[in-house]
Amino acid sequence: MKVTWYSTASLLIESGEDKILIDPFLTLYGAENHPSLLSYIKEDSILITHGHYDHLASVPKIMSDSDATVYCSATPALTLEKKKVDGDQVVIIRPGDVLTFGSIKVKVLQGKHIKYDKKLIRKTLLRPRVLRYFSNLLLLGWNRLKYREAQETLIYQIEAEGKVVLVLGSLALDENTEYPQYVDMLILPYQGSSDLVTKAVSIIERISPRTVLLDHFDDAFPPITTPIDTKPLKKALDNAFPELPVAKPTAGKAVTLL
């Protein structure tokens, strides 16, 4: 079983010949990583964790160049409908659903989106780089209400080859959902708060994963994003969970679950 991170929250999960894409996104001007459209259009199945711009906006282009089927909740499905996507290529899913893609089984769980705090928003808008990437800021602001999350963030429990991978689309868990513990890999988005370390450690304490793979830590759509320094998290985890392997992947390079 292999996991490839491309940028932002964009992931490819592989088991033999079976593959699923999650949240494929073509980054904006000034981005740290630049996945190509060719990385995405080869796959047949796309899962969306939620409907925000950086998780959904590239999907219509990907679908127009492929025969991929997209699996998502109702709100992103409506967004895709407004973008004139072929409805036959969209399947609405809900927490509790179980999907099968060849040898890969996916359980759909209720998730939660992180709440952006005022300190982070203020710090982001006061950075000098806002002027450099002002066109991106206008684009993201214009699309904020068009790409809604609507409290429909999903988490995917992916099983193949006797391994379990838990994929979060945002750095938060639903308080009323029972999540699997001791999963082989927790994929953890690491952006969106002025207190990332505390939020990440809290999730890891609840899930007790065997390994952690970070994503969403890169500067994918400046000036809203920045390259996140992961060293404070590593230090905190070395103290709290000294035996826990934590990986910061390289874009486009597969990580194999052994």
Side-chain angles (χ1 to χ4, degrees):
M1 192 175 183
K2 295 180 180 179
V3 178
T4 304
W5 171 75
Y6 290 107
S7 74
T8 331
S10 304
L11 300 164
L12 175 67
I13 310 290
E14 302 176 78
S15 177
E17 298 298 317
D18 302 316
K19 303 177 183 181
I20 53 175
L21 270 173
I22 301 177
D23 293 349
F25 179 65
L26 298 168
T27 48
L28 301 186
Y29 162 69
E32 184 177 348
N33 299 298
H34 294 278
S36 72
L37 184 62
L38 292 177
S39 300
Y40 296 144
I41 62 173
K42 298 177 290 184
E43 316 310 338
D44 295 328
S45 303
I46 300 173
L47 275 63
I48 303 299
T49 61
H50 62 280
H52 279 162
Y53 184 87
D54 55 314
H55 296 252
L56 190 66
S58 299
V59 171
K61 173 60 176 173
I62 294 167
M63 294 175 72
S64 70
D65 290 319
S66 72
D67 296 321
T69 299
V70 174
Y71 299 81
C72 60
S73 62
T75 295
L78 180 60
T79 303
L80 291 174
E81 180 183 330
K82 292 177 180 178
K83 297 294 180 181
K84 308 301 182 184
V85 164
D86 184 353
D88 291 337
Q89 290 180 264
V90 179
V91 176
I92 296 177
I93 57 176
R94 301 168 181 83
D97 288 350
V98 177
L99 312 172
T100 302
F101 306 95
S103 61
I104 302 175
K105 183 170 75 171
V106 179
K107 295 181 181 179
V108 183
L109 305 174
Q110 180 64 54
K112 185 177 180 179
H113 199 278
I114 195 170
K115 185 176 181 180
Y116 306 123
D117 56 271
K118 292 180 180 179
K119 180 179 178 181
L120 176 67
I121 294 170
R122 184 167 57 251
K123 183 178 179 181
T124 299
L125 293 179
L126 291 177
R127 290 189 182 109
R129 71 202 306 258
V130 164
L131 294 177
R132 180 180 180 186
Y133 298 110
F134 192 67
S135 60
N136 284 357
L137 190 64
L138 290 177
L139 176 66
L140 294 166
W142 176 258
N143 284 286
R144 186 175 66 87
L145 295 179
K146 295 182 180 181
Y147 289 86
R148 297 172 57 241
E149 183 264 342
Q151 298 183 1
E152 291 180 9
T153 293
L154 302 175
I155 289 175
Y156 295 118
Q157 178 181 334
I158 301 174
E159 303 177 14
E161 302 175 29
K163 304 291 184 182
V164 180
V165 176
L166 195 67
V167 179
L168 277 61
S170 186
L171 190 63
L173 296 175
D174 178 60
E175 294 83 356
N176 301 312
T177 297
E178 183 176 348
Y179 297 106
Q181 290 190 309
Y182 311 112
V183 298
D184 295 284
M185 177 179 284
L186 170 65
I187 298 183
L188 193 68
Y190 198 62
Q191 188 134 211
S193 173
S194 59
D195 192 9
L196 289 169
V197 172
T198 299
K199 293 186 181 300
V201 169
S202 176
I203 291 172
I204 290 168
E205 286 177 340
R206 186 169 169 186
I207 301 298
S208 299
R210 294 187 172 91
T211 61
V212 174
L213 183 77
L214 301 177
D215 72 352
H216 223 324
F217 56 83
D218 60 327
D219 195 9
F221 43 101
I224 300 301
T225 55
T226 60
I228 300 298
D229 182 4
T230 59
K231 290 192 290 293
L233 175 63
K234 185 178 186 305
K235 182 178 179 180
L237 294 180
D238 284 344
N239 291 330
F241 311 99
E243 303 300 320
L244 177 65
V246 179
K248 182 179 177 181
T250 300
K253 186 175 180 179
V255 175
T256 301
L257 277 76
L258 301 176

